[in-house]
Amino acid sequence: MAPEYAMRGYLTDKADVYSFGIVALEIVSGKSNTNYRPKQECVYLLDWAYVLLEQGNLMELVDPSLGSNYSEEEVMNMLNLALLCTNRSPTLRPCMSSVVSMLEGKIAVQAPTISSIG
């Protein structure tokens, strides 16, 4: 659930973008955002993704059951897109049409930084 909706009841057009980002993280990791707790200080999968981004180990999120049967470039694009979509500020999330263009490879996916994701 998008933070602006959970905290204030504001439903923006970017709430779906946030939800897409969460689902993308869940698909790549094979874990549930709400039921996965890798460390005591991380309540959600998204928290763990931020920790790994800060450490430069974002690929640790990839579902181990995939083995090496995936494109690292495509996975990094999906993880970076997921983090862009889950920015705490709705105005800093891409619009859904841009998300689709990024998925299609028409627009480059920018790697998020900790300061840019909220």
Side-chain angles (χ1 to χ4, degrees):
M1 183 178 305
E4 66 273 13
Y5 184 69
M7 289 190 248
R8 296 182 197 93
Y10 298 146
L11 190 56
T12 68
D13 59 340
K14 301 284 185 87
D16 287 340
V17 173
Y18 183 91
S19 296
F20 171 80
I22 295 296
V23 170
L25 281 176
E26 291 178 329
I27 290 169
V28 171
S29 70
K31 309 277 191 269
S32 167
N33 183 52
T34 55
N35 296 331
Y36 178 65
R37 197 163 183 182
K39 299 212 181 238
Q40 189 64 28
E41 65 272 11
C42 295
V43 178
Y44 300 110
L45 176 63
L46 182 57
D47 296 332
W48 184 234
Y50 290 151
V51 168
L52 292 175
L53 176 65
E54 193 171 57
Q55 295 174 349
N57 297 325
L58 202 50
M59 287 299 289
E60 284 186 31
L61 275 177
V62 177
D63 186 345
S65 70
L66 293 174
S68 61
N69 193 21
Y70 59 88
S71 161
E72 194 169 315
E73 180 182 355
E74 287 180 13
V75 167
M76 279 307 296
N77 279 341
M78 186 57 78
L79 289 171
N80 287 330
L81 181 56
L83 292 175
L84 289 173
C85 290
T86 54
N87 192 299
R88 288 183 202 139
S89 172
T91 59
L92 296 177
R93 293 178 209 144
C95 62
M96 202 54 169
S97 61
S98 293
V99 170
V100 171
S101 292
M102 288 181 222
L103 289 170
E104 294 174 335
K106 294 177 181 176
I107 298 175
V109 178
Q110 300 298 314
T113 60
I114 291 297
S115 61
S116 71
I117 54 177

